[in-house]
């Protein structure tokens, strides 16, 4: 490669890096983890208003006290992950504006799992932002029909949601890109058939880069009367989901239910925010609880 070409490649790389870093501005003292944790102390309602907060680099918390919504910013537009329940959509939009970003610059909306407390606001958010929605195939069916999947162990206890068109169907390992920003999907079907975890690199104003892992819920909740041991295929998928979460590139762990990973405490400095072993520990705990459930089912009659 000639020196001229090498110089051009380096210049393009630096331009992309600087483009990303330009939005990794130091967070205002107003939008700290301490403020978020304080505002939500004793409040975990799915629609309890929360202030926005800076997570790391180009990544921001714009959800409620009980349900996460994550904004990842870039010079080419922004990506929003999860929409909370339907009545949380205005709160998410307000938080995006409070941070100084324009909701009209959201280009993609992604989701963790296809339950109404995380996708209920997506249709309204899609209309307000004009963004496109991308999802795994299993989640697409629920997003577009608004009806819970019959394959979901929680189906009998789930509410529906407003249908929303899915512009792009993703497969495990696909990425949604905006300029230098790439957010990769990992199919992690522990909590629901369409569960998705997401990873991306975020760099701060000093160009210190970390991998953010938005690891989906890993609990194995079900409707009354459902027995996992009667559904060996679902049991296998749960194990697969846990195994994939354990090996996510994971410097900073964020979860759809913040309390599931003590996220607010860690963001406020009461614990390690940066922990490369966090996803592994998160998955191991879920797998141990699932093993206990299977053992309990095996020791019962199911009646």
């Amino acid at each position: 490669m000639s020196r001229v070409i090498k110089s051009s490649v380096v210049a393009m790389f630096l331009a992309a890096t600087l483009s990303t870093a330009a939005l990794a501005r130091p967070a205002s003292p107003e939008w700290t983890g301490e403020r978020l944790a304080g505002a939500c102390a004793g409040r975990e309602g799915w629609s309890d208003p929360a202030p926005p907060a800076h997570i790391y680099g180009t990544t921001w918390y714009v959800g409620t006290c009980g349900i996460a919504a994550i904004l990842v910013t870039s010079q080419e537009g922004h990506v929003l992950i999860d929409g909370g329940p339907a009545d949380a959509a205005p709160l998410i939009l307000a938080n995006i504006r409070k941070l100084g970003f324009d909701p009209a610059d959201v280009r993609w909306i992604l989701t963790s799992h296809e339950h109404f407390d995380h996708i209920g606001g997506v249709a309204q958010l899609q209309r307000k932002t004009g963004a496109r929605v991308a999802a795994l195939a299993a989640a697409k069916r629920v997003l577009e029909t608004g009806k819970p999947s019959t394959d979901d162990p929680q189906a009998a206890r789930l509410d529906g949601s407003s249908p929303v068109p899915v512009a792009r169907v993703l497969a495990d390992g696909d990425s949604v890109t905006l300029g230098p920003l790439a957010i990769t999907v990992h199919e992690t079907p522990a909590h629901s058939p369409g569960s998705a975890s997401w990873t991306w690199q975020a760099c701060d104003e000093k160009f210190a880069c970390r991998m953010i892992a938005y690891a989906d819920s890993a609990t194995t909740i079900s409707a009354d009367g459902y027995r996992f041991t009667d559904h060996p295929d679902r049991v296998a998928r749960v194990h697969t989901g846990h195994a994939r979460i354990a090996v996510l590139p994971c410097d900073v762990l964020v979860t759809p239910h913040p309390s599931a990973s003590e996220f607010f405490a860690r963001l406020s400095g009461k614990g390690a925010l940066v922990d490369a072993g966090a996803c592994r520990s998160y998955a191991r705990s879920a797998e141990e609880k699932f093993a206990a459930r299977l053992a309990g089912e095996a020791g019962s009659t199911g009646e």
Side-chain angles (χ1 to χ4, degrees):
M1 184 183 292
S2 71
R3 184 175 300 176
V4 172
I5 294 176
K6 285 182 178 179
S7 298
S8 297
V9 171
V10 171
M12 291 171 64
F13 173 78
L14 288 174
T17 302
L18 289 170
S19 175
T20 301
L23 285 172
R25 58 182 184 272
S28 163
E30 188 177 2
W31 311 127
T32 64
E34 291 89 345
R35 184 168 186 262
L36 174 60
C40 291
R43 300 167 64 238
E44 292 187 13
W46 293 346
S47 301
D48 286 345
H54 183 235
I55 298 175
Y56 191 89
T58 53
T59 303
W60 310 81
Y61 188 90
V62 293
T64 66
C65 287
I67 297 288
I70 307 300
L71 183 72
V72 189
T73 59
S74 85
Q75 294 285 12
E76 304 298 324
H78 315 320
V79 176
L80 178 65
I81 310 178
D82 275 344
D87 55 356
L91 305 176
I92 293 170
L93 292 168
N95 276 345
I96 294 172
R97 295 188 184 99
K98 287 175 184 176
L99 290 170
F101 298 111
D102 186 347
D105 290 331
V106 175
R107 301 287 183 256
W108 287 99
I109 298 175
L110 314 176
T111 61
S112 54
H113 59 272
E114 66 280 22
H115 292 168
F116 69 96
D117 50 329
H118 303 278
I119 67 169
V122 170
Q124 184 179 164
L125 290 164
Q126 191 277 329
R127 290 193 300 271
K128 295 292 185 180
T129 63
R132 292 181 289 172
V133 176
L136 294 171
K140 174 182 184 291
R141 292 190 293 271
V142 178
L143 284 161
E144 292 195 329
T145 65
K147 299 177 181 179
S149 170
T150 56
D151 296 333
D152 195 318
Q154 297 185 56
R157 58 182 286 180
L158 295 173
D159 293 340
S161 57
S162 297
V164 61
V166 173
R168 181 182 172 193
V169 179
L170 301 169
D172 182 57
D174 284 347
S175 294
V176 174
T177 60
L178 288 172
L181 173 63
I183 303 182
T184 301
V185 66
H186 306 265
E187 188 178 5
T188 54
H191 189 70
S192 76
S195 283
S197 297
W198 303 87
T199 58
W200 62 95
Q201 186 182 73
C203 302
D204 67 11
E205 67 277 6
K206 297 178 182 177
F207 303 107
C209 297
R210 305 287 187 185
M211 289 301 299
I212 312 295
Y214 188 60
D216 193 26
S217 298
T219 54
T220 46
I221 302 168
S222 70
D224 292 344
Y226 184 94
R227 289 169 52 86
F228 280 92
T229 45
D230 294 335
H231 304 274
D233 289 347
R234 180 95 276 277
V235 170
R237 296 288 281 165
V238 170
H239 290 315
T240 295
H242 290 162
R244 290 178 177 175
I245 289 172
V247 297
L248 291 175
C250 181
D251 293 323
V252 177
L253 169 65
V254 188
T255 50
H257 290 271
S259 60
S261 59
E262 299 183 345
F263 176 65
F264 292 168
R266 292 186 293 112
L267 191 63
S268 65
K270 297 177 181 177
L273 179 63
V274 178
D275 178 2
C279 284
R280 190 163 53 251
S281 297
Y282 176 67
R284 182 173 60 247
S285 175
E287 183 71 4
E288 289 171 353
K289 291 175 182 176
F290 185 49
R293 167 154 187 171
L294 294 178
E297 287 184 2
S300 71
T301 63
E303 296 178 357

